[in-house]
């Protein structure tokens, strides 16, 4: 006895390997040489590209799409209508494309009409990662173990979001930016391309810290412009502009807008010197 449930309308090639206790819904389409581990559940209208391998107890929601050669670890959930590109990897116990549920006192209210999560090709997503609906990722995104990325964000090509990083809602991250372990990226930020953010950086967006109605119009995270570098443990106050190629030293407190190509150090930070020419990025073409 196979202990499998496969809907009559599902397209399951003979080359598919299906573990025990799998459930394959109506109109599911599987590519050639797909491997399903024990207890996988594929919702109605979902599809899995050729050569993909799903671990044990993986769930794909209705009309979810996995591109070819996708590999997914055990106990991971792909929510309905999620679009994942080709040649991707997702570790175990991750939650991809879930809808947010805000606290009653949150300044961000839950939205039921968010677009599904979209992920480009060649991505890597670690174990125990939570990625919300309404966010899009360009090709070659890297999301480390235990990271969280909220809704309505835009993530550029080759972005690295390290282990334990939290990226809050309505934030834009430009291509080739690296955000290292444990950093907190607050809501309503804009981070341009080729920015480097070291471990344990803290960004903020509310000068009123939850008091008075004024805060709702004033909430804004920092803008970090192209090529800026922010050292470990630095703190950025709400709404400031970190100019292109700024170098923020480790542990600095940035309380006001910075000047392009300058080194800042201290608590609060003071302008120290120019960034050496050999450290600057090549001009944009």
């Amino acid at each position: 006895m196979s202990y499998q449930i496969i809907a009559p309308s599902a397209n399951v090639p003979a080359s598919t390997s299906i573990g025990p206790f799998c459930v394959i819904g109506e109109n599911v389409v599987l590519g050639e040489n797909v491997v399903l581990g024990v207890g996988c559940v594929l919702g109605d209208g979902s599809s899995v590209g050729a050569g993909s391998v799903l671990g044990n107890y993986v769930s794909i929601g209705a009309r979810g799409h996995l591109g070819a050669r996708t590999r997914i670890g055990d106990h991971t959930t792909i929510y309905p209508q999620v679009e994942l590109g080709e040649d991707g990897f997702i570790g175990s116990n991750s939650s991809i494309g879930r809808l947010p549920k805000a606290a009653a006192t949150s300044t961000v209210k839950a939205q039921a009409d968010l677009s599904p999560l979209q992920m480009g090709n060649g991505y890597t997503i670690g174990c125990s990662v939570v990625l919300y609906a309404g966010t899009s990722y360009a090709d070659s995104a890297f999301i480390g173990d235990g990271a969280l990325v909220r809704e309505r964000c835009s993530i550029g090509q080759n972005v690295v979001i390290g282990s334990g990083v939290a990226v809050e809602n309505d934030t834009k991250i430009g291509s080739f930016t690296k955000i290292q372990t444990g950093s907190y990226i607050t809501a309503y930020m804009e981070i341009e391309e080729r920015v480097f953010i070291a471990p344990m950086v803290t960004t903020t967006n509310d000068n009123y810290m939850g008091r008075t109605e004024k805060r709702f119009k004033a909430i804004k995270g920092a803008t970090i412009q192209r090529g800026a570098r922010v050292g470990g443990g630095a703190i950025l106050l709400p709404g400031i502009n970190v100019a292109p190629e700024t170098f923020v030293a480790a542990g600095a407190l940035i309380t006001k807008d910075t000047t392009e190509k300058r080194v800042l150090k201290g608590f609060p930070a003071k302008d120290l010197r120019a960034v050496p020419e050999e450290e600057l990025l090549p001009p944009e073409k």
Side-chain angles (χ1 to χ4, degrees), residues 202 230-236 248-254 264-270:
T202 299
V230 182
I235 301 172
L236 308 184
V248 176
L253 171 65
I254 306 300
L264 287 92
K265 178 181 179 182
F267 200 91
K270 299 184 185 305

Side-chain angles (χ1 to χ4, degrees), residues 23-123:
V23 178
I24 299 177
E26 298 287 353
N27 300 308
V28 169
V29 177
L30 302 181
E32 296 287 343
N33 300 306
V34 166
V35 177
L36 304 181
V38 175
C40 291
V41 178
L42 278 56
D44 293 347
S46 60
S47 62
V48 179
S52 294
V53 178
L54 278 58
N56 300 321
Y57 305 104
V58 172
S59 173
I60 302 175
R63 301 188 301 284
H65 171 73
L66 276 60
R69 299 171 299 281
T70 298
R71 292 178 295 145
I72 301 181
D74 299 343
H75 299 281
T76 282
T77 299
I78 310 297
Y79 282 79
Q81 301 182 60
V82 165
E83 292 279 338
L84 300 178
E86 299 180 347
D87 300 302
F89 171 84
I90 304 175
S92 301
N93 300 300
S94 288
S95 179
I96 309 300
R98 61 165 289 193
L99 288 170
K101 183 172 176 57
T105 56
S106 175
T107 58
V108 178
K109 301 307 177 186
Q111 286 187 245
D113 60 347
L114 289 171
S115 60
L117 180 146
Q118 294 184 318
M119 182 76 64
N121 298 323
Y123 59 88

Side-chain angles (χ1 to χ4, degrees), residues 42-242:
L42 278 56
D44 293 347
S46 60
S47 62
V48 179
S52 294
V53 178
L54 278 58
N56 300 321
Y57 305 104
V58 172
S59 173
I60 302 175
R63 301 188 301 284
H65 171 73
L66 276 60
R69 299 171 299 281
T70 298
R71 292 178 295 145
I72 301 181
D74 299 343
H75 299 281
T76 282
T77 299
I78 310 297
Y79 282 79
Q81 301 182 60
V82 165
E83 292 279 338
L84 300 178
E86 299 180 347
D87 300 302
F89 171 84
I90 304 175
S92 301
N93 300 300
S94 288
S95 179
I96 309 300
R98 61 165 289 193
L99 288 170
K101 183 172 176 57
T105 56
S106 175
T107 58
V108 178
K109 301 307 177 186
Q111 286 187 245
D113 60 347
L114 289 171
S115 60
L117 180 146
Q118 294 184 318
M119 182 76 64
N121 298 323
Y123 59 88
T124 299
I125 299 171
C127 297
S128 302
V129 171
V130 179
L131 305 181
Y132 281 73
T135 290
S136 63
Y137 300 78
D139 292 345
S140 302
F142 181 97
I143 317 293
D145 296 339
L148 165 74
V149 181
R150 292 293 302 264
E151 64 275 14
R152 296 186 302 274
C153 294
S154 173
I155 312 299
Q157 180 180 357
N158 288 95
V159 165
V160 173
I161 296 174
S163 298
V165 169
V167 178
E168 297 284 13
N169 53 280
D170 300 279
T171 288
K172 181 178 180 181
I173 301 176
S175 297
F176 297 95
T177 283
K178 296 180 180 179
I179 304 173
Q180 295 199 322
T181 300
S183 288
Y184 176 73
I185 306 302
T186 194
Y188 310 110
M189 279 190 68
E190 181 169 357
I191 303 172
E192 294 185 358
E193 66 274 12
R194 300 187 185 277
V195 167
F196 179 87
I197 297 176
M200 310 307 292
V201 168
T202 299
T203 61
T204 58
N205 66 11
D206 182 5
N207 275 319
Y208 298 92
M209 290 199 289
R211 300 282 175 84
T212 83
E213 294 299 308
K214 293 179 180 179
R215 76 185 192 277
F216 293 107
K217 294 182 179 180
I219 288 175
K220 180 70 174 72
T223 296
I224 306 178
Q225 293 187 273
R226 181 180 187 268
R229 291 172 288 171
V230 182
I235 301 172
L236 308 184
L237 292 193
I240 63 162
N241 183 73
V242 179

